[in-house]
Amino acid sequence: MFALPELPYPYESLAPTLSEATLRLHHDKHHAKYVETTNSIFKESEPGATLESVIRSAQRSGAGKLFNNAAQAWNHGFFWECMRPSPREPGGRLAQAIDRQFGSLIGLKMLFVQEAAAHFGSGWAWIVARGGDLSVVATHDAASPIGDESAIPLMTCDLWEHAYYLDHRNDRASYLDAWWNRLANWRLAETQYAAAQGEGAAWRYPDPK
Ligand code: FE
């Protein structure tokens, strides 16, 4: 059985960008439901199965309901880690790669926010690394770069309305701007970027028990 990971910070600590009410609803109801549904479908856990392997095999076999719920469980687990109260800006080799590819952190922000704001309907905005190469992508519904073993996500922002409606109503652009400026966790992005180059491990969803 896959577990619902605890939020890595107190529920009220991302306010005012994301309120305690939003996090309680988003984590305790939406994320919990994806985990519960994944467990209800994936009853026979093979030895050594991980959520990542479940997602990839559901993607290969076209098991849509399992894929949607397992990928949403993973995406949310990763999303909580992509935020911190009062984060610092990226440094080191990631900062150099951002400057090289996007001109500056502001250049990357403009691209990310533009892609995310223009994305039609529900989904996720991502910064993904393939080796040292960075790209910005948006995926529909539950779709996740974790289905592709050559890609390592560095950052994601939830574009489903349940992520921001209580705090920002339908103003996705205001959510994205505040989220990027106040919550984006570059410390995680740095360790993911190192992992994309074979140094250290990328973030994984907690193993089933
Ligand atoms: Fe969500």
Side-chain angles (χ1 to χ4, degrees), residues 20-198:
E20 177 176 354
T22 288
L23 287 192
R24 289 201 180 276
L25 185 70
H26 199 174
H27 177 270
D28 300 3
K29 303 291 181 203
H30 289 278
H31 191 186
K33 182 73 180 165
Y34 295 127
V35 175
E36 185 192 312
T37 307
T38 299
N39 285 326
S40 75
I41 305 170
F42 189 70
K43 287 188 179 118
E44 299 302 316
S45 113
E46 308 146 24
T50 63
L51 192 56
E52 291 80 5
S53 69
V54 170
I55 292 166
R56 287 173 188 144
S57 88
Q59 182 166 281
R60 278 194 301 273
S61 65
K65 188 176 177 188
L66 178 58
F67 174 82
N68 283 335
N69 284 280
Q72 282 294 78
W74 195 96
N75 293 347
H76 283 90
F78 186 67
F79 176 58
W80 308 131
E81 297 298 331
C82 287
M83 299 186 285
R84 285 294 184 271
S86 314
R88 59 158 176 75
E89 291 202 339
R93 284 186 303 168
L94 175 59
Q96 290 166 8
I98 290 170
D99 288 349
R100 196 165 57 239
Q101 277 195 251
F102 305 100
S104 64
L105 187 60
I106 298 288
L108 174 57
K109 177 188 173 183
M110 283 175 60
L111 191 65
F112 186 90
V113 168
Q114 190 176 45
E115 184 79 27
H119 184 74
F120 186 78
S122 296
W124 299 83
W126 305 85
I127 302 170
V128 171
R130 282 185 175 77
D133 189 56
L134 302 176
S135 55
V136 171
V137 290
T139 57
H140 282 284
D141 301 325
S144 171
I146 201 66
D148 170 1
E149 276 179 89
S150 69
I152 304 249
L154 307 192
M155 188 71 86
T156 195
C157 185
D158 190 336
L159 305 180
W160 290 58
E161 276 195 346
H162 66 225
Y164 60 90
Y165 200 81
L166 291 181
D167 305 311
H168 303 270
R169 309 304 288 180
N170 58 335
D171 191 352
R172 187 187 281 180
S174 110
Y175 159 60
L176 290 165
D177 187 67
W179 184 90
W180 181 283
N181 290 341
R182 298 185 188 152
L183 301 181
N185 178 16
W186 295 103
R187 191 176 290 265
L188 172 73
E190 287 165 10
T191 59
Q192 294 290 99
Y193 186 65
Q197 288 153 95

